[in-house]
Each structure stands twice: as C-alpha cells, then as structure tokens.
Amino acid sequence: DPYGWMRDESRSDGRVLGHLAAENEYAAAATGHLAGLRDGLYDEMISSIVETDYTTPSLRRTDADGGGGAPGSGYWYYTRHQAGESRPRYCRAPLRSDDDGDDDDGHLYPPDPLPGWDAARSSPVLPGEETYLDVEELAGGMTFLAVGAVTLSPDQGFLAYSLDPRGNEVCEARVRELSTGNEWTLLEGRREEGDGGDAPDENQTRPLECDGSLVWDEAGGLFWVRLDGSHRPHRLYHRRVLDGDGRWIDDQSDELLFEEDDGLYSLRISKSFDGRYLLVRSGSKETSEVRYVDIRPECRERADDDPDGKGARMELRTVAPRSEGVVYRVGHCRGHWLVQTNLGDGGGRTPNLGLRSCRVGDGGMGRWEPVTLAGTGEAAFDGGHGRSLDG
C-alpha cells in the first residue's frame, strides 16, 4: 500500500499532518478562483432544504412484546434537525389517549405537532417531548463526531449507542438509563476461554472498540462486533450488561458467538422486524450468508444452574450456506423467511433482487419458493427488469 505510511490512529505524526496541510494549501490555491461558484452552489442547495425539521413520529408501545408497560402506553419516536447544527437530536413523547385513533384501514396516524410550534430548538414538537440523545451537545467543541447505532432496550428504559469520535470508523459504545440519566461506557471485558482468556487488567479500563453496531437481546444483553487489524468486522460477541432487575452489571464478560475467518467477508448484525431473531450477515462483494438465533430468553439452551436461561449459550443457525455469486438477505414473518436474493429459477442469477420465502429451519437455497401474487400465481418480484424490489 503506497499510502500505508499515512495511517496514524493517534493523529499526531508530524509527517502526515505536514503532508495533509500542504495538500490543503495547494488545493485552496488551485481552486481559489472558483470560490464564488462554490458559494453559489452551496447556497442554492441549502435553499431547497428545510433545515429545521423532524422525522415522522413512529409509535413503539410499551405494552407489547414484553415491554411491561401499562395497556395503551408507549412513546412516539422521532429525530429533530435544527438549522445551523450538523447533528441530530433523538426525541420521544408519550402516547396519549387522544393519539390512539385509527383510520378506516386500521393504521395509526402520527399526531400533529403542537399548535404554534415555532421550530425553535426549545419548542417541543409533541406534548411531553424529551430528548434522549443530543448528538450536537455530545460533540461540543470536537472537530468530528459520528453516530453509529442508536437503539433502545425492549422495555425502552435504556439506550445503547455508539460513537466514532476520530473518523476512523472505530466506535465506542455507551449505555444510558433514561429515567436517571446515568450513563456507562462499555469497557473491554473478560473473555471466555478460547478467545484469549481473561483480558489484562489494564485492558479492562479501556473503552470497548467495535464496528458501531449494537443489538439488544430480551434479557439485558448486547450483541456487538469487533474489528480485526484491517478494520474488517469479523467477530460477533454477546455481553450481558443488565441483571434480572434491570441494574447495571459492573463485572462484565464477553461470549464469542461467531468468527468470520474469510478475509473477503465482513459481518453485519441486525434484529428482525418483530424483534425475535438476531440476524448475522457475512457478506463480500458478490456473495453473502445469513445466520440467525432466537434471542427470546425462553428459547435459549438452559443450564442446570441457570433456570431462567439468561446466561445460557446461544447457537447460531444458517438460513442457507453461501454459494458463489449468490447474495441474499432475510426478514421474518410468521415463521417464514422472506428472502431477497439474486438467485433465479434454475440456479441462475437475476439482474435485480427477487423475493422468495421458506419456513424457518428449512435450510438450503433449494427450499426457497417465489412469493406470488394472490389469484394469479405470478411472481411478485422475479428479479427481472420489469419490477424492482428496493431495500
């Protein structure tokens, strides 16, 4: 790598800083005559953007999926952007009884903003609004700060989020208790045998370094992914951070669940839309493979000394083994996988992604059947040019 000498995680190498400063000076001198055009283009683009805005509120109930809330309880979640600020604020407002009105199709409409909402930073969009993560405030005087994951625990009482403070795509992870504001930075934890043994004491005071993805399980634990020396996400870990009463655990350890050994593949984790499965996708430029595990506590393998199953080991299963040139990703719906893939009939490859399905547990791509339109038998998305599946 002819530019390998420029890698400096500390951002303090005088040679690199001097080289970058010289490059910036040269670029400024060479393009100085374009300053007026540059400013004009910027103003034109900004003029078409509503800088102070908020996303459409989405409802997340606390009385569903084991949230433990009272009937009819929940929060509206949305993100606010403010003119003059580069980073968002994550907000929520409690569900009110008069919000709970369905239209004729049974869809819940988000409420309108408060009458007289003036778009000021201090002006709430919805009654009872609280800001549970203000990224602009976190950034303070920092020259760079990017957010990775922002995810709430199933009971919506804790927030887990990751930050990249240096721009090198290596993130730190934090957990915040929303009712008290107490916050903890995840540190390097003890490792199980077979993964380097216990981390040295000095490492257990260092912030955990991860790729930025975080997924809650249903029992106070987090899934996270470690990077290798080339910044490739390659190891999936599970760490329990809350005990059965929802209290922070100081002495934490990591369980290695999976390692992707092939250097062409990187790991990505997510949770199925219904919250039942952790999805682990190994992907290269042309091929992918998805593993999954049911993260509900009652579905784990229980040990004799762990009757509640909260410390039981989780076993990942494969949706379908990787096949050269086949890419796919999955979603879960009522015991079936909905598979977006470029695998066509007869084993060929399609120019776009088609939509297929199979039952959970039916391994192998040969079990995937096209999803068809009711009454016609026609494939809803066959992967051809006629109808495109986006997402």
Side-chain angles (χ1 to χ4, degrees), residues 44-114:
E44 180 181 339
M45 288 186 286
I46 289 297
S47 67
S48 63
I49 298 173
V50 180
E51 291 189 81
T52 298
D53 202 1
Y54 65 94
T55 59
T56 302
S58 61
L59 178 62
R60 183 171 173 181
R61 294 184 179 275
T62 54
D63 58 346
D65 301 325
S73 62
Y75 289 93
W76 294 102
Y77 286 88
Y78 49 97
T79 305
R80 292 187 59 172
H81 298 267
Q82 204 72 26
E85 297 182 358
S86 303
R87 302 169 181 88
R89 280 186 293 154
Y90 294 84
C91 302
R92 69 179 183 178
L95 174 67
R96 300 178 303 159
S97 58
D98 53 348
D99 291 337
D100 206 4
D102 293 339
D103 65 11
D104 293 337
D105 296 324
H107 298 128
L108 186 65
Y109 282 123
D112 294 325
L114 283 169

Side-chain angles (χ1 to χ4, degrees), residues 352-371:
N352 292 310
L353 295 181
L355 184 63
R356 294 174 175 264
S357 70
C358 68
R359 289 188 177 276
V360 173
D362 285 353
M365 297 177 182
R367 308 297 294 270
W368 296 352
E369 297 292 337
V371 175

Side-chain angles (χ1 to χ4, degrees), residues 106-179:
H107 298 128
L108 186 65
Y109 282 123
D112 294 325
L114 283 169
W117 180 63
D118 60 6
R121 198 179 202 279
S122 59
S123 177
V125 175
L126 297 178
E129 176 182 285
E130 62 176 279
T131 299
Y132 61 91
L133 185 64
D134 189 334
V135 185
E136 189 74 13
E137 183 179 276
L138 283 175
M142 301 172 66
T143 57
F144 181 88
L145 182 68
V147 176
V150 178
T151 178
L152 289 144
S153 61
D155 66 359
Q156 303 180 58
F158 289 83
L159 168 72
Y161 67 100
S162 57
L163 299 172
D164 174 7
R166 295 175 293 275
N168 61 354
E169 299 183 353
V170 177
C171 292
E172 301 173 0
R174 302 177 183 179
V175 173
R176 177 180 296 176
E177 186 176 19
L178 298 184
S179 62

Side-chain angles (χ1 to χ4, degrees), residues 80-314:
R80 292 187 59 172
H81 298 267
Q82 204 72 26
E85 297 182 358
S86 303
R87 302 169 181 88
R89 280 186 293 154
Y90 294 84
C91 302
R92 69 179 183 178
L95 174 67
R96 300 178 303 159
S97 58
D98 53 348
D99 291 337
D100 206 4
D102 293 339
D103 65 11
D104 293 337
D105 296 324
H107 298 128
L108 186 65
Y109 282 123
D112 294 325
L114 283 169
W117 180 63
D118 60 6
R121 198 179 202 279
S122 59
S123 177
V125 175
L126 297 178
E129 176 182 285
E130 62 176 279
T131 299
Y132 61 91
L133 185 64
D134 189 334
V135 185
E136 189 74 13
E137 183 179 276
L138 283 175
M142 301 172 66
T143 57
F144 181 88
L145 182 68
V147 176
V150 178
T151 178
L152 289 144
S153 61
D155 66 359
Q156 303 180 58
F158 289 83
L159 168 72
Y161 67 100
S162 57
L163 299 172
D164 174 7
R166 295 175 293 275
N168 61 354
E169 299 183 353
V170 177
C171 292
E172 301 173 0
R174 302 177 183 179
V175 173
R176 177 180 296 176
E177 186 176 19
L178 298 184
S179 62
T180 64
N182 293 333
E183 183 166 295
W184 303 269
T185 298
L186 268 64
L187 305 177
E188 292 288 351
R190 291 182 290 104
R191 307 188 191 105
E192 63 177 14
E193 187 176 354
D195 185 30
D198 283 354
D201 290 342
E202 61 270 20
N203 285 351
Q204 295 183 39
T205 63
R206 291 193 300 108
L208 179 73
E209 293 186 345
C210 63
D211 76 331
S213 53
L214 298 169
V215 174
W216 286 98
D217 70 6
E218 300 293 320
L222 286 169
F223 299 95
W224 62 278
V225 176
R226 187 182 293 281
L227 302 165
D228 67 7
S230 62
H231 284 205
R232 176 181 68 95
H234 75 129
R235 282 181 173 176
L236 169 65
Y237 289 92
H238 176 261
R239 174 184 295 199
R240 193 173 175 201
V241 297
L242 303 175
D243 65 18
D245 296 319
R247 294 188 296 261
W248 181 255
I249 299 174
D250 290 320
D251 185 21
Q252 300 175 0
S253 61
D254 294 310
E255 177 188 358
L256 177 64
L257 299 180
F258 177 71
E259 180 170 4
E260 177 54 69
D261 295 320
D262 192 326
L264 295 178
Y265 289 77
S266 297
L267 289 185
R268 294 290 183 269
I269 61 173
S270 60
K271 186 185 287 189
S272 61
F273 186 75
D274 58 6
R276 177 169 178 171
Y277 292 104
L278 173 75
L279 304 175
V280 185
R281 188 171 188 260
S282 295
S284 68
K285 293 294 185 181
E286 298 181 343
T287 307
S288 61
E289 181 180 53
V290 178
R291 291 174 172 80
Y292 67 96
V293 63
D294 195 323
I295 57 178
R296 296 174 300 171
E298 62 269 22
C299 294
R300 299 186 189 177
E301 297 179 5
R302 291 165 171 76
D304 293 339
D305 59 349
D306 184 34
D308 63 1
K310 293 182 177 180
R313 187 176 181 87
M314 290 168 280

